[in-house]
Amino acid sequence: MSCWYNISAPEDDIVVSTRIRLARNLSGIPFPSRMNSEQLEQLKSKVKMAVSESNTPFAKTLKYIDMNAVPEVEINAMVERHVISPEFAAKSEGRAIILSDDESISIMIGEEDHLRIQVILGGFQLEKAYDIAERLDTLLYDRLHFAFDDELGFLTECPTNLGTGLRASVMLHLPVCESSGEIAPLSENISKIGFTVRGMYGEGSRSAASLYQISNQITLGISEKNAVDNLKVITAQLIEKERGLRNNLERISVEDTVFRALGTVKSARKISGKEMMNLISRIKLGTSMGIINSDKNPFGILIENQPFMIMRRYGEMPPEERDIKRAQTLREEFKDSSL
Amino acid sequence: MSCWYNISAPEDDIVVSTRIRLARNLSGIPFPSRMNSEQLEQLKSKVKMAVSESNTPFAKTLKYIDMNAVPEVEINAMVERHVISPEFAAKSEGRAIILSDDESISIMIGEEDHLRIQVILGGFQLEKAYDIAERLDTLLYDRLHFAFDDELGFLTECPTNLGTGLRASVMLHLPVCESSGEIAPLSENISKIGFTVRGMYGEGSRSAASLYQISNQITLGISEKNAVDNLKVITAQLIEKERGLRNNLERISVEDTVFRALGTVKSARKISGKEMMNLISRIKLGTSMGIINSDKNPFGILIENQPFMIMRRYGEMPPEERDIKRAQTLREEFKDSSL
């Protein structure tokens, strides 16, 4: 089964992925931070039951996974695939998740809140992702009793999630906005209207792969639909901005950048995780601009060559050996990409 | 006609070229710095005559070139091909040279001395180069009257050339000596025995292409044969040193270095002169170590893609356009080199 990140999707020249996350808690059980093991078991079995009782074809794609049965390498690989959060991975003992076949739907049970419902899709698909999240929310709501207050909305452990409990985000590839120095001013403008920009997969202010996540900050006093609609407008503007800047690039310079990156992945014998970010970013710019052909989604390849994703395939190994395996895999993946 | 730098030669895994230079002056004519134009004409016609009068097949490969008839771009390209010195190029008006078909023999007329006889061959061919230089010296000596003093030997404008007037040098490719930090101690030891090491084509202490020229410092109180023999011994030691270090390299690391360079020349759209040095050096290491196949001599390609060598083929152009032409040429040259 192909994962969401290996399927081509709308506007995926710039939008890598769309994510909707809902924070939900069951009434009558304390928040995870104060829950005892008995209450955790009770929570898991209620959720498991709620999903399995639903006879919709939709619910049938979902499986319940006991995290105790998942090896450490795979737990970390799930973080790299965005299936679970790093925080959940760190305290996954006794926890469980619900996961769809293509991994586009995941529900973490016992993260910061009882339930963290996540829908992640490739490309720019806010409405579709929101629609799926709502169906999941309804499916569970019908069978579980969510903690809800008429004034505050959904109750959550952290007050920043109170209200809708919704976090909508898009992951954008903005290499030319970045190189033109546009990220800082864009970020400032976006924060004024209640959204946040942060680099992804990168340390410091610059994102290693020119990936930037835009997400809503506000969950209280705004409807779910409004939050999603606002993000949609902002994203559309950013797409136009990045495309416009790309069209103004000097062709020979961008070709040089792109072809060098492709030449490197086709020939290098060792590639660190950090270098891969940079190379994949440039190759993705090349495929998006029609400079090079590749039937693969470069960002899918990026996910599949994160450290634990490599060790999931080949077994545990030190970083230097991973760099060699990564270079091997990248050579293989891009061997038919034409210069 | 193929030039000396495009023919494979002994020990050319490490020795790029061998050069013998003889400084000679005619008695009865002042040194070039004090010579008037009439005396210069007299000098040129004497030398031209001496060469054309010789009926040896050897002398027939030599042609007399009036530098006034040579376009500026070609004069600079001659410097890049090591046919003439930069100093000679700067004051070439009214000057002439004698040049062989394959450009391995050149005689500058009216450089610092009346005659600078140069023989340059690919690889490690000190005896052969010296032998050719001697034949030229004899050929000219028979017809011209060289300034010679029984005690001082051949008289030259600069006292550092007095005596034999001989400068013997080899150009070595020492990338692994360099990366192992061996150049400074080697250089110190070599200078103690009257030889000099200097980086070639490079600014600062590091040579851009890991090329180092070893040459004799002393011309007085030592026979020509001794100078050549000593250089031969030193060079043989340096060859062994570099080969030994190469054999101790971690294979995957050197492959990574070499293949990345090849991947870059096969894909880049702009390559500066400085970057080319670095790339060619790594490719040459790869061909010498049998890591990559190439029927071309990488250092020949390096010479042919110097700025004026490019403009000699395509006409004058600004540096940015040369970088594009250079990248095009390198892609073409290495397109069949296997990874």
Side-chain angles (χ1 to χ4, degrees):
Chain A
M1 174 99 204
S2 240
C3 275
W4 61 268
Y5 53 76
N6 279 327
I7 300 160
S8 68
E11 323 293 348
D12 68 358
D13 56 328
I14 289 165
V15 188
V16 179
S17 60
T18 302
R19 178 148 56 161
I20 295 287
R21 192 220 64 198
L22 298 173
R24 295 290 183 262
N25 290 279
L26 278 63
S27 58
I29 300 178
F31 286 134
S33 60
R34 275 160 294 162
M35 192 169 59
N36 64 32
S37 60
E38 208 176 313
Q39 291 163 327
L40 173 59
E41 289 309 314
Q42 200 189 340
L43 169 66
K44 288 194 290 179
S45 76
K46 279 189 174 193
V47 177
K48 187 178 183 179
M49 188 96 64
V51 172
S52 66
E53 273 175 359
S54 166
N55 274 321
T56 56
F58 172 61
K60 290 208 188 308
T61 68
L62 303 173
K63 57 180 180 290
Y64 177 91
I65 298 170
D66 181 349
M67 293 303 283
N68 287 338
V70 180
E72 194 62 26
V73 164
E74 174 59 12
I75 291 175
N76 288 295
M78 282 178 165
V79 174
E80 291 171 348
R81 299 202 300 281
H82 306 295
V83 164
I84 59 174
S85 64
E87 295 74 21
F88 187 74
K91 58 162 190 178
S92 63
E93 209 183 311
R95 266 54 177 174
I97 61 167
I98 306 280
L99 190 63
S100 69
D101 293 338
D102 70 352
E103 302 191 342
S104 66
I105 297 171
S106 66
I107 304 172
M108 287 180 277
I109 306 174
E111 210 243 21
E112 188 181 278
D113 295 294
H114 289 158
L115 301 180
R116 283 287 175 95
I117 300 166
Q118 174 184 274
V119 177
I120 184 165
L121 297 175
F124 191 25
Q125 305 198 71
L126 267 171
E127 272 146 12
K128 187 172 174 192
Y130 178 61
D131 186 53
I132 296 170
E134 256 207 322
R135 285 166 66 194
L136 271 168
D137 195 24
T138 309
L139 182 155
L140 295 168
Y141 190 87
D142 289 346
R143 288 166 180 84
L144 305 168
H145 193 68
F146 285 158
F148 187 86
D149 178 278
D150 283 342
E151 246 175 59
L152 293 173
F154 289 102
L155 300 179
T156 55
E157 162 87 51
C158 178
T160 59
N161 292 314
L162 273 176
T164 58
L166 170 97
R167 187 80 71 225
S169 66
V170 288
M171 181 77 76
L172 306 181
H173 184 226
L174 303 174
V176 191
C177 282
E178 185 183 84
S179 62
S180 315
E182 295 282 351
I183 299 294
L186 283 171
S187 189
E188 208 185 312
N189 286 334
I190 287 168
S191 71
K192 283 180 192 154
I193 49 172
F195 286 79
T196 309
V197 179
R198 55 188 186 109
M200 188 66 189
Y201 275 132
E203 298 93 42
S205 58
R206 273 202 147 212
S207 167
S210 305
L211 292 177
Y212 293 90
Q213 190 186 58
I214 321 291
S215 62
N216 64 315
Q217 279 287 78
I218 301 162
T219 53
L220 201 59
I222 184 171
S223 74
E224 297 183 346
K225 198 179 172 312
N226 263 343
V228 170
D229 284 350
N230 289 346
L231 180 58
K232 204 175 152 182
V233 171
I234 292 166
T235 304
Q237 285 172 350
L238 289 170
I239 292 172
E240 283 321 299
K241 180 86 185 168
E242 174 72 18
R243 281 188 189 146
L245 290 171
R246 288 183 186 187
N247 288 336
N248 288 336
L249 289 174
E250 191 202 22
R251 188 74 180 183
I252 189 96
S253 294
V254 65
E255 282 180 357
D256 185 58
T257 298
V258 164
F259 287 137
R260 279 171 182 263
L262 189 56
T264 301
V265 296
K266 282 173 155 227
S267 49
R269 260 55 185 171
K270 290 181 188 178
I271 298 180
S272 72
K274 192 165 178 188
E275 187 186 11
M276 173 179 63
M277 303 287 177
N278 180 293
L279 294 170
I280 290 285
S281 174
R282 288 152 64 194
I283 290 171
K284 172 67 184 172
L285 180 64
T287 57
S288 291
M289 291 183 72
I291 294 170
I292 49 174
N293 294 320
S294 175
D295 51 350
K296 305 288 176 70
N297 173 8
F299 283 119
I301 293 170
L302 185 147
I303 288 177
E304 284 174 350
N305 286 284
Q306 296 294 317
F308 290 97
M309 287 296 281
I310 291 173
M311 295 199 288
R312 182 191 191 221
R313 296 195 295 277
Y314 300 108
E316 293 206 46
M317 63 182 87
E320 312 80 64
E321 279 180 43
R322 285 202 302 265
D323 291 352
I324 295 170
K325 279 282 177 207
R326 184 179 291 117
Q328 264 175 14
T329 312
L330 292 177
R331 282 206 303 284
E332 186 58 30
E333 292 280 11
F334 289 107
K335 74 175 194 295
D336 298 323
S337 297
S338 54
L339 282 172
Chain B
M1 173 96 204
S2 239
C3 275
W4 60 270
Y5 53 77
N6 279 327
I7 300 161
S8 67
E11 323 293 347
D12 68 358
D13 56 330
I14 289 165
V15 188
V16 178
S17 61
T18 301
R19 178 149 54 162
I20 296 287
R21 191 219 65 198
L22 298 173
R24 296 290 183 261
N25 290 279
L26 277 63
S27 58
I29 301 178
F31 287 134
S33 59
R34 275 159 295 162
M35 193 168 59
N36 63 31
S37 58
E38 207 175 313
Q39 291 163 325
L40 173 59
E41 290 308 316
Q42 199 188 340
L43 170 66
K44 288 192 291 179
S45 76
K46 280 188 174 197
V47 177
K48 187 178 181 179
M49 189 96 63
V51 172
S52 64
E53 274 176 358
S54 167
N55 273 323
T56 57
F58 172 62
K60 291 209 187 307
T61 68
L62 302 174
K63 56 181 180 289
Y64 177 92
I65 299 169
D66 180 348
M67 292 304 284
N68 287 339
V70 180
E72 194 61 28
V73 164
E74 174 57 12
I75 290 174
N76 288 295
M78 282 178 166
V79 175
E80 292 172 345
R81 298 201 301 282
H82 307 294
V83 163
I84 60 174
S85 65
E87 295 74 23
F88 187 75
K91 58 160 191 181
S92 62
E93 209 182 311
R95 267 54 177 174
I97 61 168
I98 306 281
L99 190 63
S100 70
D101 294 338
D102 69 353
E103 302 191 343
S104 65
I105 297 170
S106 67
I107 303 171
M108 288 180 278
I109 306 174
E111 209 242 24
E112 188 182 278
D113 295 294
H114 289 161
L115 300 182
R116 284 287 175 98
I117 300 167
Q118 173 184 275
V119 179
I120 184 165
L121 297 174
F124 190 25
Q125 305 197 70
L126 266 171
E127 271 146 12
K128 188 173 174 190
Y130 178 62
D131 186 56
I132 297 170
E134 256 208 322
R135 284 167 66 192
L136 271 168
D137 194 26
T138 308
L139 183 154
L140 295 168
Y141 190 87
D142 289 346
R143 288 166 181 83
L144 305 168
H145 193 65
F146 286 159
F148 186 86
D149 179 278
D150 283 340
E151 246 173 63
L152 293 172
F154 289 104
L155 300 178
T156 55
E157 162 86 52
C158 179
T160 60
N161 293 315
L162 272 177
T164 58
L166 169 96
R167 186 81 69 226
S169 65
V170 288
M171 181 77 77
L172 306 181
H173 184 226
L174 303 174
V176 190
C177 281
E178 184 183 86
S179 61
S180 315
E182 296 283 351
I183 299 295
L186 283 172
S187 188
E188 210 185 309
N189 286 334
I190 287 168
S191 71
K192 283 179 192 155
I193 49 173
F195 285 79
T196 310
V197 180
R198 55 188 188 110
M200 188 65 189
Y201 275 134
E203 297 93 44
S205 58
R206 273 202 148 214
S207 165
S210 304
L211 292 178
Y212 293 90
Q213 192 187 59
I214 321 292
S215 62
N216 65 315
Q217 278 286 81
I218 302 162
T219 52
L220 201 58
I222 185 172
S223 75
E224 296 183 347
K225 196 177 173 312
N226 262 343
V228 170
D229 284 349
N230 289 345
L231 180 58
K232 203 174 153 186
V233 171
I234 292 166
T235 304
Q237 284 171 351
L238 290 171
I239 292 172
E240 283 319 300
K241 179 87 184 167
E242 174 71 17
R243 281 188 189 147
L245 290 170
R246 288 182 185 187
N247 287 336
N248 288 334
L249 290 175
E250 191 201 25
R251 189 74 180 184
I252 189 95
S253 295
V254 65
E255 282 181 359
D256 186 58
T257 298
V258 164
F259 287 137
R260 279 171 182 261
L262 189 56
T264 301
V265 295
K266 281 174 155 230
S267 49
R269 261 53 185 170
K270 290 180 187 177
I271 297 180
S272 72
K274 193 168 178 184
E275 186 187 11
M276 174 179 62
M277 302 287 176
N278 180 293
L279 294 170
I280 290 285
S281 174
R282 288 152 64 194
I283 290 171
K284 172 67 184 172
L285 180 64
T287 56
S288 291
M289 291 183 70
I291 294 170
I292 49 175
N293 293 321
S294 176
D295 52 347
K296 305 289 177 69
N297 173 10
F299 284 120
I301 294 170
L302 186 147
I303 288 177
E304 284 174 350
N305 286 284
Q306 296 294 317
F308 290 97
M309 286 296 281
I310 291 173
M311 296 198 288
R312 180 191 193 223
R313 296 195 296 276
Y314 301 108
E316 293 207 47
M317 61 181 88
E320 314 80 64
E321 278 179 46
R322 283 203 301 264
D323 291 352
I324 294 170
K325 279 283 177 208
R326 185 178 291 117
Q328 265 174 14
T329 311
L330 292 177
R331 281 205 302 286
E332 187 57 32
E333 292 280 12
F334 289 106
K335 73 175 195 298
D336 298 323
S337 297
S338 54
L339 281 173

